[in-house]
Amino acid sequence: MRTTTPRRTTPRRSAPRRSVPRRLVAVAGCLSLGALLSGCGSALGDDPDTVDYWLWDANQQPAYQECADRFEERNPDLEIRIEQRGYDDYWNGLALGFVAESAPDVFTNHLSKYPEYVTRDLLLPLDEYVERDEVPLDIYEEGLADLWLGEDGLRYGLPKDWDAVGIFYDRATLAEAGVDESTLDELTWNPDDGGSYEELIARLTVDVNGVRGDEPGFDPGRVETYGLWLEMTDGFNHGQTQYAMYAYANGWQATDSNPWGREFHFDDPRFQETIAWWRGLIEKGYMPSFAAQRGVQSSDQLAAGNAALVTNGSWMTGTFFSYEGLDVGVAPTPIGPSGQRATMFNGLADSVYRGTDNPEAAWQWVRYLASPECQRIVGEHHVVFPAITEAWEIARGEFAADGVDVMPFTRHVEEGTTELFPITDHSSEIAALMQPALEAVMSGREPVESLNGVNEEINRLFE
Amino acid sequence: MATAAPTAPGAAGDDAPAPVDNPRPRWRGGETRAALLFVAPAMIGFLAFFAWPTLRGLYLSFTDYDLLTSADFSGLDNYRRLLEDEVFWNSLWVTLKYVVINISVQTFAALLLAVLIHRLTRSVVLRGIILLPYLISNVVVALLWYWMADYNLGVINEMLGWVGFDPVAFFGDESWSIPTLALVNVWRHLGYTALLIFAGLQMINRDVYEAAAVDGAGEVRIFFRITLPLLRPVMALVLVLTVIGSWQIFDTVAVTTQGGPVDATRVVQYYIYDQAFNRFDFGYASAISVVLFLILAGVALAQLKLLRADESDQS
């Protein structure tokens, strides 16, 4: 960090501040690592009055472009350059950008990634700026702003949005099965017999002979439509859209404390019985086998009639509702033994790269992104739910105008049934350990108890 | 370049009497300078992108470099860890399986294809068509097959269904995933390999075939007694190139299975990538790279020795 005392932006059109050796390093980095992967465009033609901003969701780019246009109108001496990259390439590009010191000035950050950036000193703490500009932090949905307080107590991002998990379904399939949609609001679940939730899943499962999962003569080996889809292709994200809503509703907690837990609970019986129940659906023929679910994403499977129910995040709402000829509905996650329903609650933020050429300009952009004005624009585009309460209410209204009731997501926030995404250090190592272990369990190769060993390995990372 | 070496010792100094037939030392002449000039771009590329990264990788393999903070020397720690790392040994085993399937099927099919082109057709269009899959990018090929072989929606399983087979999870089943990946890449590289072999076939003197035909040898006998022995140097080259390429399988895995199911397709290169770019453990990733480098160097040397690549049976 160059400036310890934040100061107002002054137009600097003259000499670039980046010294020659650093630029050489950047150029060399680009040459050796491949222009495709690293952020070379920004490294070579850097202008301190240009703020480079990265995001990964192409669906959200129009909203943020509109924010950028407004911002540029207000700050004629600054230019915002938005770059969108697919999720996987996004993080690789960032890592290489950090090495070549050409990372974007501001970027969309994820809770599973930022702790490792903090320990490596890559993010600019925003505390002084927040204090100086008296940015109100209570306008955001409760808890979202504090997710970005590092273990060191410093603030590394301002919240931009939140998400929750729900159950997407094909309304025609439900009608065929004679299921009243209003019953979906009061589904119950438990790890022993799956409750009314499993009854519904069984009812919606149909084998090749047209026999339903709850009828005699059902052939679990030859299923045409699965009651519930299993999707394990997205990498390990603490079961966000997979098992987290059941395990939390079963009273489980992922870590000893959150954020900054140092002990994971994958050995907890409440977790393991949830996974055992989940895997049991495969054996019963209600959910595709681990091998069979790899490939085309769950929303396509729903559209193709291979699945009746799909658990997925609110950010996928637009995708699910965009299939032609498919009439989609959303239901809330089921009520568990705890007496409550649950969802993982994840929020993104915008962070500033510590090596930015112009921290003041970067801060102004982050501050604008987190402002009611920009978040209202994001709400009007209604792809995700903005972090500010009044802005996500706009999104809810826009969804409703499209005929989409997003209450199954928003009720979690209103009823306080959200569980924060586990924020810990070592997240990439945890993912590397947990992903194959969970796959081994779900493919039936290892017993659920095998997760005890992995849990020990994970907890050793924190010693 | 080729002539410089023998003359150099005799023309080491300016005072030495110049040989009569060689008034000026060649290596100081314009020819050498031009030669060096021509070699320079390749040499700079080699030094910058191969030699230097190799040396630096070797150095990093003895450190705990994590990409973003400076590297501290850690001695043999990475190599000790490697010995105990089951995922690493599994990745070697998985890669070996891939290489064996990929190379055996590909070489056999390419040889057959090349002989067929050689003996049956002179059509340039046909040769062009055979090369087509090679012109498509690896990622596109991988994704196309990924979708075609999808368990639920893929056209391959649809067709299997017509003839009464149950669907197969080509990419999702632990026992199927490696053969599937290997065959996808056979499909892509077959034409290219066949053309390499075909070029070798064209170097074989036609007289030999005529003589064999006069002596009454059939096609099969001609293949085993003439074509195959005379093709040996070319086959050696092709095998060394394809085997080394095959060991470096990465892109197909990266865009389809990403190492799974479980660790069934976690090939060495993907594991290296995973350690380096997902977990920032560059020191350890470098150590695995060094081991892979040694294995490949050994494989290449062994192949060249076994196939006596520098000799030809054709005289």
Side-chain angles (χ1 to χ4, degrees):
Chain A
M1 192 170 67
R2 269 107 184 242
T3 44
T4 40
T5 343
R7 54 194 158 80
R8 286 278 162 208
T9 316
T10 44
R12 265 186 313 262
R13 296 259 177 235
S14 52
R17 297 176 67 202
R18 181 163 277 179
S19 61
V20 175
R22 244 184 88 177
R23 177 167 287 214
L24 271 181
V25 168
V27 174
C30 287
L31 286 174
S32 57
L33 294 167
L36 267 180
L37 286 171
S38 65
C40 292
S42 46
L44 300 180
D46 220 334
D47 173 351
D49 294 332
T50 300
V51 177
D52 282 301
Y53 177 59
W54 281 16
L55 48 85
W56 64 77
D57 187 355
N59 294 331
Q60 294 183 49
Q61 195 171 352
Y64 286 107
Q65 189 57 56
E66 204 177 317
C67 285
D69 294 344
R70 294 270 186 94
F71 179 78
E72 284 170 356
E73 275 169 31
R74 303 272 178 78
N75 304 273
D77 52 331
L78 293 176
E79 190 196 334
I80 306 296
R81 196 158 55 190
I82 299 183
E83 195 172 326
Q84 179 268 330
R85 299 174 170 227
Y87 192 77
D88 289 337
D89 188 40
Y90 184 88
W91 303 106
N92 290 335
L94 264 186
L96 295 178
F98 291 144
V99 180
E101 299 188 23
S102 65
D105 304 289
V106 179
F107 59 94
T108 307
N109 213 342
H110 195 279
L111 290 173
S112 71
K113 303 280 181 182
Y114 101 89
E116 287 175 304
Y117 296 157
V118 170
T119 53
R120 290 179 172 82
D121 236 7
L122 294 165
L123 302 180
L124 186 70
L126 302 176
D127 303 71
E128 292 172 38
Y129 298 94
V130 171
E131 212 168 295
R132 184 198 64 188
D133 293 349
E134 293 172 356
V135 176
L137 294 170
D138 53 358
I139 55 173
Y140 306 106
E141 202 46 63
E142 200 187 329
L144 289 181
D146 291 347
L147 293 174
W148 299 89
L149 282 175
E151 210 167 2
D152 53 8
L154 297 175
R155 190 173 299 280
Y156 291 99
L158 287 187
K160 62 194 288 123
D161 57 27
W162 59 266
D163 56 57
V165 171
I167 304 168
F168 293 90
Y169 59 88
D170 178 357
R171 300 180 67 189
T173 314
L174 258 69
E176 250 172 67
V179 177
D180 179 4
E181 281 181 51
S182 65
T183 60
L184 298 186
D185 283 350
E186 295 308 322
L187 289 174
T188 58
W189 170 85
N190 67 69
D192 303 321
D193 63 7
S196 62
Y197 183 52
E198 185 172 327
E199 281 169 27
L200 172 72
I201 294 170
R203 180 76 198 145
L204 294 173
T205 306
V206 186
D207 74 8
V208 287
N209 303 314
V211 180
R212 296 195 171 271
D214 59 356
E215 291 169 352
F218 168 71
D219 180 359
R222 300 173 68 88
V223 175
E224 186 78 30
T225 302
Y226 292 100
L228 180 66
W229 189 254
L230 164 73
E231 182 170 76
M232 290 192 68
T233 46
D234 272 341
F236 181 73
N237 233 353
H238 288 288
Q240 186 181 17
T241 61
Q242 301 161 337
Y243 60 74
M245 54 283 190
Y246 315 128
Y248 285 133
N250 198 23
W252 176 68
Q253 285 295 321
T255 49
D256 54 348
S257 60
N258 195 23
W260 310 113
R262 302 181 64 82
E263 196 187 304
F264 273 86
H265 296 157
F266 296 123
D267 56 351
D268 188 315
R270 284 169 294 188
F271 173 74
Q272 295 193 355
E273 66 188 13
T274 302
I275 299 296
W277 167 81
W278 193 38
R279 185 173 77 177
L281 293 182
I282 297 175
E283 286 146 27
K284 292 169 191 159
Y286 300 162
M287 190 162 75
S289 72
F290 174 72
Q293 56 84 37
R294 288 187 84 87
V296 177
Q297 62 175 356
S298 56
S299 55
D300 292 337
Q301 302 289 0
L302 185 78
N306 291 327
L309 306 176
V310 169
T311 51
N312 216 321
S314 51
W315 63 90
M316 287 291 284
T317 308
T319 308
F320 275 97
F321 280 86
S322 67
Y323 288 93
E324 230 169 274
L326 183 72
D327 193 7
V328 179
V330 195
T333 52
I335 299 163
S338 69
Q340 285 192 319
R341 56 185 100 244
T343 177
M344 195 174 266
F345 190 48
N346 187 17
L348 303 179
D350 291 304
S351 293
V352 178
Y353 168 45
R354 195 182 270 264
T356 174
D357 280 332
N358 191 342
E360 183 60 38
W363 158 248
Q364 292 301 338
W365 173 233
V366 167
R367 185 184 161 194
Y368 185 73
L369 285 170
S371 71
E373 184 175 309
C374 174
Q375 300 218 343
R376 274 198 292 263
I377 294 173
V378 175
E380 280 158 22
H381 282 261
H382 65 289
V383 176
V384 290
F385 297 116
I388 298 175
T389 310
E390 58 157 317
W392 73 251
E393 283 168 352
I394 292 175
R396 182 171 62 184
E398 293 289 333
F399 273 119
D402 289 354
V404 180
D405 182 9
V406 290
M407 220 266 278
F409 301 117
T410 57
R411 70 184 295 165
H412 285 290
V413 173
E414 286 156 342
E415 293 168 9
T417 50
T418 56
E419 293 284 349
L420 288 179
F421 186 95
I423 302 167
T424 65
D425 201 1
H426 305 294
S427 61
S428 51
E429 279 167 282
I430 292 167
L433 289 168
M434 218 22 213
Q435 172 84 16
L438 196 65
E439 287 185 3
V441 170
M442 290 307 286
S443 63
R445 206 176 74 174
E446 299 283 344
V448 176
E449 293 75 36
S450 67
L451 296 172
N452 291 343
V454 185
N455 194 58
E456 266 171 46
E457 263 184 271
I458 289 171
N459 287 338
R460 267 201 297 276
L461 295 171
F462 293 91
E463 279 166 13
Chain B
M1 279 299 276
T3 52
T7 55
D14 282 359
D15 306 334
V20 185
D21 60 332
N22 193 6
R24 277 192 74 200
R26 282 266 183 92
W27 57 274
R28 299 178 72 188
E31 233 176 274
T32 313
R33 205 167 299 149
L36 283 176
L37 212 63
F38 277 113
V39 171
M43 192 49 111
I44 291 169
F46 175 76
L47 290 175
F49 298 121
F50 289 91
W52 171 243
T54 307
L55 289 175
R56 187 166 156 76
L58 191 63
Y59 159 71
L60 288 179
S61 74
F62 296 104
T63 68
D64 63 354
Y65 186 49
D66 73 349
L67 195 66
L68 299 164
T69 50
S70 61
D72 287 325
F73 190 74
S74 64
L76 288 171
D77 280 4
N78 288 326
Y79 291 93
R80 231 170 273 140
R81 180 177 153 196
L82 200 132
L83 286 176
E84 290 166 13
D85 185 351
E86 282 171 32
V87 184
F88 165 71
W89 291 108
N90 175 65
S91 75
L92 273 187
W93 169 237
V94 166
T95 316
L96 185 69
K97 277 197 286 190
Y98 170 86
V99 172
V100 168
I101 300 173
N102 179 246
I103 294 303
S104 55
V105 176
Q106 177 172 299
T107 310
F108 179 77
L111 186 60
L112 193 74
L113 198 60
V115 171
L116 285 177
I117 310 175
H118 185 234
R119 303 295 288 162
L120 295 179
T121 172
R122 287 180 202 289
S123 161
V124 178
V125 177
L126 195 68
R127 283 176 218 165
I129 291 174
I130 285 169
L131 196 62
L132 266 184
Y134 189 71
L135 302 179
I136 310 171
S137 112
N138 263 345
V139 170
V140 174
V141 169
L143 286 177
L144 273 180
W145 282 99
Y146 193 50
W147 290 324
M148 288 200 296
D150 186 81
Y151 183 84
N152 301 284
L153 301 173
V155 65
I156 297 176
N157 276 315
E158 189 69 31
M159 292 189 322
L160 283 178
W162 293 342
V163 282
F165 284 105
D166 282 335
V168 178
F170 288 102
F171 286 93
D173 191 296
E174 280 183 59
S175 48
W176 274 98
S177 49
I178 278 290
T180 305
L181 288 170
L183 293 180
V184 165
N185 281 327
V186 165
W187 182 82
R188 181 171 183 269
H189 292 273
L190 182 61
Y192 180 72
T193 316
L195 280 195
L196 284 180
I197 300 175
F198 177 72
L201 287 173
Q202 284 190 314
M203 293 196 306
I204 299 175
N205 200 330
R206 291 243 164 215
D207 297 348
V208 192
Y209 285 101
E210 279 165 31
V214 170
D215 288 345
E219 281 292 334
V220 176
R221 201 178 158 98
I222 289 179
F223 175 77
F224 283 106
R225 288 300 170 85
I226 296 177
T227 308
L228 211 50
L230 292 184
L231 208 52
R232 210 195 50 229
V234 173
M235 288 303 285
L237 174 82
V238 167
L239 273 176
V240 170
L241 286 180
T242 52
V243 167
I244 289 177
S246 189
W247 268 93
Q248 299 183 30
I249 165 72
F250 170 77
D251 37 16
T252 319
V253 172
V255 297
T256 59
T257 59
Q258 302 192 347
V262 196
D263 285 324
T265 62
R266 205 168 298 278
V267 292
V268 181
Q269 287 278 9
Y270 193 78
Y271 191 49
I272 293 172
Y273 164 84
D274 194 29
Q275 288 289 348
F277 292 98
N278 286 341
R279 304 199 229 172
F280 298 129
D281 204 341
F282 261 64
Y284 188 49
S286 300
I288 307 174
S289 301
V290 169
V291 171
L292 182 64
F293 173 76
L294 292 177
I295 291 174
L296 289 186
V299 169
L301 273 179
Q303 276 184 315
L304 289 173
K305 273 265 181 283
L306 286 173
L307 290 158
R308 291 172 292 139
D310 50 345
E311 298 165 29
S312 170
D313 298 331
Q314 191 166 10
S315 50

